[in-house]
Amino acid sequence: MVSVTSVPTTAEGQPQQPERESTTESSDSAAREPVKVKVSRLRWVIVLLFSSYSLCNAFQWIQYGAVNNVFMHFYGVSAFSIDWLSMSYMVTYIPLLFPVAYILEKYGLRTVALLGSVLNCVGAWVKVGSLKPNLFAVTVLGQFICAVAQVFILGMPSRIAAVWFSEREVSTACSLAVFGNQVGIALGFLIPPILVPNIQDREELAYHISIMFYIIGAVASFLVILVIFIFREKPKYPPSHAQYLSYSMETQKSAYFESIGRLMKNQNFVLLLISYGLNVGAFYALSTLLNRMVIFHYPGEEVNAGRIGLTIIITGMVGAMISGIWLDKTKTYKQTTVVVYFMALVGMVVFTATLGLGYLWVVFLTAGTLGFFMTGYLPLGFEFAVELTYPESEGMSSGLLNVFAQIFGIIFTISEGQIIDHFGTLAGNIFLCAFLALGTLLTMFIKADLRRQNANVSANNKIPEEQPHQDKDRNQSLDEHL
């Protein structure tokens, strides 16, 4: 670990600006040039643009599962084959994480953003060529390309937040970046049941599917154009002292695989890897199999199954935003994570107990409660990981979290699908409850080693913020002291 207290700093009284601004000196004793720390107004555009193409990619993940039975009929394949269209996102992520993380470290945010948005667009248009019942292989290819695009997207939120936002906004920004992905899943639950009705005529069904595919292709194309002309690598000035220190240490960082080794030796991070994987893996399984669960108890309710999924995601987005704002104000990472994780377990237990009661309004209520905490946990995991692993790459820590989420997601989706087929939805959801209980226990053992916060506190102690019109003698005394 490189020490962050050895970086020399200076303070100068500056007129107050609308944006937070301070200065610190370069560690190069020869140059001794002051380096400005300031947030960019473009930061909100960047996070919104990222959220938009993340939304488009997430929609394509769940668009088949939301109307599982309809696509089974259209292509003449099994439910397991349609489930695999969603699981392809999970399977693809695992072997491609490390190459993509290397590209992120080597070529930066803009290159990864371009690759992710372009691949997402290509996959969407390939699906347009799969509008006949005998072309299931083509839709598999299109989904695979979108799955590859996802690898360039999932690990980005914490990196974008760190590179573009101040320490007082970083958790909120990470929540906003995750927000787009969740909106995409929400729309993926809502729109397909509306655009693709459960009808027997395959020619008419192909027409309805084509509308959905063409809309997504057009949206993905528009977003590629925006990324090309708007997305930037990083702001002119570092937005926080921790980010400036991270820039100054880039040349001192060890090799790529040594960084992975250090992360895997960090016991607190390993505990978070497992607990995060259990929670998000359970969410992936629930999202993939939700249509089957609802139809099992409420036949013919495909549209309401999509609306229940939408409810889970919308309440989860609210939970994610509240969690992000709360973290920025309190920095209580462990306490917040434990509480949210435990409440996700409680929500899953209640959802499991009420799914088969025969009242759809009860399912909507319990699913919404579950979503608020289970989906709201996603940005908490990202931000807690960055705190535990600073100054290691945010992309690497987020990527490893997602690998574990994909691994558990595959295991849980296949296992719960088989349990539902043989023993029913109650047994399948009890299976998920057991692992969420394990994840809650593991989270309690994580030590809150907030390294990024400590770096910011250290830097801020060296650079006290001056008020306008301060006394010159005080400035001179402060300069002499520093």
Side-chain angles (χ1 to χ4, degrees):
M1 179 66 66
V2 181
S3 171
V4 298
T5 60
S6 61
V7 180
T9 61
T10 186
E12 298 175 3
Q14 298 288 345
Q16 186 145 357
Q17 301 292 330
E19 307 276 3
R20 181 172 182 267
E21 179 178 333
S22 59
T23 60
T24 184
E25 284 189 359
S26 167
S27 58
D28 186 348
S29 58
R32 308 292 288 182
E33 295 179 357
V35 177
K36 187 180 293 185
V37 174
K38 181 181 180 181
V39 291
S40 166
R41 290 185 176 89
L42 186 62
R43 67 195 187 279
W44 299 109
V45 177
I46 295 296
V47 75
L48 178 62
L49 181 54
F50 168 79
S51 292
S52 298
Y53 73 80
S54 177
L55 178 158
C56 185
N57 182 260
F59 178 93
Q60 297 194 77
W61 167 57
I62 204 64
Q63 67 182 155
Y64 296 101
V67 283
N68 183 290
N69 55 323
V70 177
F71 277 104
M72 284 170 57
H73 167 65
F74 181 73
Y75 287 115
V77 297
S78 67
F80 188 67
S81 297
I82 301 300
D83 289 345
W84 265 107
L85 290 174
S86 295
M87 285 192 289
S88 65
Y89 268 53
M90 309 175 204
V91 174
T92 304
Y93 191 91
I94 297 168
L96 293 184
L97 163 68
F98 295 110
V100 171
Y102 177 79
I103 292 172
L104 177 61
E105 294 305 305
K106 181 75 173 178
Y107 300 103
L109 277 175
R110 177 172 165 80
T111 298
V112 171
L114 285 169
L115 288 171
S117 58
V118 168
L119 286 169
N120 183 63
C121 179
V122 171
W125 285 109
V126 169
K127 292 178 185 180
V128 172
S130 67
L131 294 172
K132 292 184 179 180
N134 63 334
L135 295 178
F136 182 67
V138 177
T139 214
V140 170
L141 175 61
Q143 187 74 342
F144 172 73
I145 296 172
C146 292
V148 175
Q150 173 229 205
V151 188
F152 290 88
I153 295 172
L154 277 190
M156 292 271 278
S158 57
R159 181 63 170 261
I160 290 175
V163 169
W164 283 90
F165 289 83
S166 73
E167 67 271 15
R168 294 183 294 188
E169 302 170 327
V170 66
S171 296
T172 302
C174 186
S175 297
L176 282 173
V178 174
F179 187 83
N181 191 270
Q182 300 310 302
V183 173
I185 298 173
L187 294 177
F189 278 118
L190 176 66
I191 294 176
I194 296 173
L195 294 181
V196 186
N198 186 6
I199 55 180
Q200 295 301 308
D201 188 332
R202 290 187 175 182
E203 289 188 8
E204 187 177 353
L205 196 53
Y207 167 74
H208 290 289
I209 294 172
S210 71
I211 294 174
M212 179 171 66
F213 284 174
Y214 275 112
I215 290 173
I216 293 300
V219 171
S221 300
F222 176 67
L223 290 172
V224 168
I225 295 171
L226 291 182
V227 170
I228 291 172
F229 288 103
I230 296 177
F231 203 95
R232 297 289 179 268
E233 175 65 27
K234 61 183 178 181
K236 183 177 180 180
Y237 304 110
S240 68
H241 300 300
Q243 190 61 25
Y244 166 65
L245 293 172
S246 180
Y247 289 162
S248 68
M249 290 186 287
E250 281 183 357
T251 57
Q252 305 174 46
K253 288 182 180 178
S254 303
Y256 174 76
F257 288 106
E258 291 182 16
S259 176
I260 298 173
R262 283 197 303 275
L263 288 175
M264 298 310 296
K265 291 177 181 177
N266 184 329
Q267 294 182 359
N268 292 313
F269 180 62
V270 171
L271 287 173
L272 181 62
L273 280 178
I274 299 171
S275 60
Y276 182 91
L278 292 171
N279 186 295
V280 181
F283 168 71
Y284 287 161
L286 181 68
S287 300
T288 302
L289 301 171
L290 183 64
N291 175 267
R292 291 170 62 183
M293 292 183 197
V294 175
I295 298 301
F296 182 87
H297 291 285
Y298 307 91
E301 295 286 355
E302 291 87 0
V303 173
N304 274 322
R307 290 171 180 167
I308 291 169
L310 174 67
T311 302
I312 291 174
I313 303 304
I314 289 178
T315 56
M317 290 187 293
V318 175
M321 288 304 303
I322 291 175
S323 297
I325 294 170
W326 175 259
L327 284 185
D328 279 332
K329 290 184 176 297
T330 67
K331 306 303 180 185
T332 54
Y333 287 88
K334 178 178 177 179
Q335 297 93 320
T336 305
T337 302
V338 170
V339 169
V340 171
Y341 209 125
F342 175 74
M343 292 307 298
L345 168 61
V346 172
M348 189 68 205
V349 170
V350 175
F351 175 78
T352 300
T354 58
L355 180 60
L357 293 181
Y359 300 100
L360 266 174
W361 69 269
V362 174
V363 180
F364 273 96
L365 180 62
T366 57
T369 304
L370 170 61
F372 182 88
F373 295 104
M374 180 176 276
T375 312
Y377 171 79
L378 299 180
L380 291 179
F382 280 145
E383 282 300 288
F384 200 9
V386 174
E387 291 292 335
L388 294 174
T389 61
Y390 179 87
E392 305 293 349
S393 164
E394 298 90 354
M396 180 57 68
S397 61
S398 298
L400 287 171
L401 286 178
N402 284 320
V403 163
F404 275 69
Q406 311 305 326
I407 291 172
F408 284 115
I410 294 168
I411 294 171
F412 290 167
T413 302
I414 294 174
S415 301
E416 187 179 16
Q418 293 298 309
I419 292 172
I420 290 173
D421 288 342
H422 292 88
F423 304 103
T425 59
L426 179 62
N429 285 329
I430 289 174
F431 168 81
L432 293 184
C433 290
F435 283 101
L436 286 175
L438 174 60
T440 303
L441 182 63
L442 292 175
T443 303
M444 293 178 180
F445 286 99
I446 299 174
K447 181 181 177 182
D449 181 17
L450 306 183
R451 299 178 181 183
R452 182 175 63 180
Q453 288 306 310
N454 292 337
N456 276 320
V457 169
S458 176
N460 285 326
N461 286 339
K462 284 178 171 289
I463 313 170
E465 292 191 29
E466 300 290 341
Q467 300 297 322
H469 311 301
Q470 282 184 313
D471 186 83
K472 288 185 179 181
D473 293 338
R474 183 181 175 188
N475 284 336
Q476 182 177 359
S477 174
L478 179 62
D479 290 339
E480 291 174 355
H481 173 69
L482 292 172

